[in-house]
Amino acid sequence: MALRGVLRLGEIGIRVLDLDLARTHYVDRMGLIEVMCDEKERKIYCKAWDEHDHHSVVLREADEAGLDYVAFKVYDDQTLTDLEPKVEAFGLEVAHIDAGVYPKSGRRLEFILPSGHRMQLFAEKEQIGNTLGTRNPGVMPDEGVIRGFRINRLDHCLLGGPNIDECGRLFKEVFDFDLSERIEDEESRESLALFLTCSTKPHDVAFVIQPEPGRFHHVSFLLESATDVIHAADLIGKYRIPVDVGPNRHGVTRGNTIYYFDPSGNRNEVFSGGYVHYPDTPTLTWDTSQMGPAQFSQDNVPRESFLTVVT
Ligand SMILES: [Fe+2]
């Protein structure tokens, strides 16, 4: 299948407790590019350098940290039209958001996932490019465009909540995702985490079982190489950014990873690598007898905080 339908996690809205501290973290330290600021709404809009769309991360000041919404970009407007009745037939109520309500964006469909998260679909967003142009673009932008952790793009998110098997069924049956990996309880065989892809990436979204709906486990950004993960780790140490799990490799997805927290307690990840998923790649299953290697395969030690700390 050529990549059509749902393309990727195109935008994530994150609640932060202090917008100025968030700007220091996401823009000054991590190196995302601030493209727009709404002082009245207390929001800043950011992108990574190699994304063409106007923005991919929206930080909003609020009383509570956590996830505002996830918005997946679809191939075209007809895809939105085709998906709406399918989402409704699945049993979710779909709201319509007019073009322009979300800045630089075309119309959106919005619904609440069985896990309690607010999800949107959109087809259009103003494109501002990656500074290289589209004719004879070269391979890297001018110095100063790639800064901080050298983030290439927004990659995926991990959401915590109940009913994750229902979420998996929605993404598979309605959005045409594949289940790339699954973690289950060794005894009961109940799902503890699901990893779903709409591309050749090991995952574009993942769900982990949590008793409370709508919880935010992490947002993840792609780096070019494992060397860049170590470079990011050096900056994380230099700026005293709280670390959840130092540089390691996931068993699930095989990504080279580091986890840390923003000033509001939202978990972030930067990673590189991971295998290539094709539509005929079989689902990989891990169980709770192997939680160490599944989570962090270089020391095989499962982290309690990794499963319990969410915003
Ligand atoms: Fe991740």
Side-chain angles (χ1 to χ4, degrees):
M1 179 194 72
L3 186 56
R4 297 288 186 272
V6 179
L7 300 180
R8 62 177 175 274
L9 177 62
E11 183 176 314
I12 189 162
I14 301 170
R15 295 192 304 269
V16 297
L17 302 177
D18 182 307
L19 198 61
D20 296 321
L21 290 178
R23 177 183 279 118
T24 300
H25 177 78
Y26 287 94
V27 178
D28 300 341
R29 305 294 197 228
M30 287 171 62
L32 294 180
I33 299 162
E34 182 177 337
V35 288
M36 196 166 68
C37 168
D38 185 336
E39 269 303 333
K40 197 162 136 260
E41 298 258 323
R42 299 296 288 162
K43 286 181 185 174
I44 58 176
Y45 297 76
C46 304
K47 75 189 282 290
W49 83 267
D50 203 16
E51 293 170 325
H52 290 267
D53 282 357
H54 183 270
H55 59 269
S56 57
V57 177
V58 182
L59 305 169
R60 179 173 73 87
E61 193 170 83
D63 293 336
E64 240 185 324
L67 182 80
D68 252 350
Y69 61 90
V70 287
F72 284 79
K73 192 173 191 189
V74 305
Y75 180 61
D76 60 9
D77 195 72
Q78 186 61 48
T79 308
L80 280 185
T81 302
D82 294 344
L83 282 175
E84 180 177 352
K86 294 180 185 171
V87 177
E88 283 177 333
F90 186 87
L92 304 184
E93 199 175 314
V94 178
H96 298 111
I97 301 171
D98 290 338
V101 170
Y102 283 75
K104 314 292 183 185
S105 169
R107 71 182 179 107
R108 296 186 176 198
L109 304 178
E110 182 178 89
F111 40 90
I112 304 296
L113 296 175
S115 54
H117 301 88
R118 192 149 63 100
M119 175 168 161
Q120 300 171 352
L121 299 170
F122 69 98
E124 312 274 344
K125 188 183 278 186
E126 183 183 316
Q127 292 202 314
I128 59 174
N130 63 4
T131 76
L132 294 176
T134 56
R135 187 177 179 88
N136 305 322
V139 295
M140 63 186 300
D142 293 339
E143 269 185 81
V145 175
I146 307 179
R147 299 178 302 109
F149 294 5
R150 304 174 187 156
I151 291 167
N152 282 0
R153 59 174 166 76
L154 171 65
D155 190 87
H156 65 267
C157 60
L158 176 47
L159 308 177
N163 309 315
I164 64 171
D165 284 322
E166 275 300 279
C167 291
R169 193 166 72 79
L170 172 72
F171 275 78
K172 281 190 292 181
E173 293 179 6
V174 175
F175 301 134
D176 211 18
F177 281 49
D178 291 332
L179 182 64
S180 56
E181 302 203 39
R182 180 169 171 271
I183 302 176
E184 66 176 24
D185 185 89
E186 187 190 8
E187 301 292 321
S188 69
R189 299 287 175 96
E190 277 173 42
S191 299
L192 302 178
L194 303 178
F195 301 80
L196 294 136
T197 177
C198 59
S199 64
T200 57
K201 290 150 55 178
H203 62 330
D204 290 280
V205 67
F207 292 92
V208 62
I209 196 82
Q210 286 279 320
E212 287 185 41
R215 306 314 294 265
F216 184 33
H217 189 279
H218 71 266
V219 59
S220 184
F221 299 93
L222 179 74
L223 307 184
E224 182 97 356
S225 68
T227 306
D228 282 345
V229 175
I230 300 300
H231 172 260
D234 283 335
L235 290 178
I236 287 166
K238 175 181 171 69
Y239 294 121
R240 306 292 194 267
I241 295 170
V243 173
D244 186 27
V245 184
N248 212 308
R249 184 196 278 268
H250 283 306
V252 175
T253 77
R254 296 191 213 144
N256 308 293
T257 180
I258 179 166
Y259 286 96
Y260 54 96
F261 295 101
D262 79 3
S264 305
N266 295 305
R267 187 187 281 99
N268 300 159
E269 175 186 32
V270 287
F271 82 103
S272 70
Y275 57 81
V276 175
H277 173 91
Y278 290 102
D280 65 342
T281 305
T283 298
L284 309 177
T285 302
W286 303 76
D287 66 45
T288 40
S289 72
Q290 299 294 314
M291 284 303 273
Q295 286 184 18
F296 300 107
S297 66
Q298 290 179 341
D299 55 16
N300 301 313
V301 177
R303 268 62 168 189
E304 182 65 22
S305 66
F306 192 70
L307 292 178
T308 55
V309 176
V310 289
T311 52

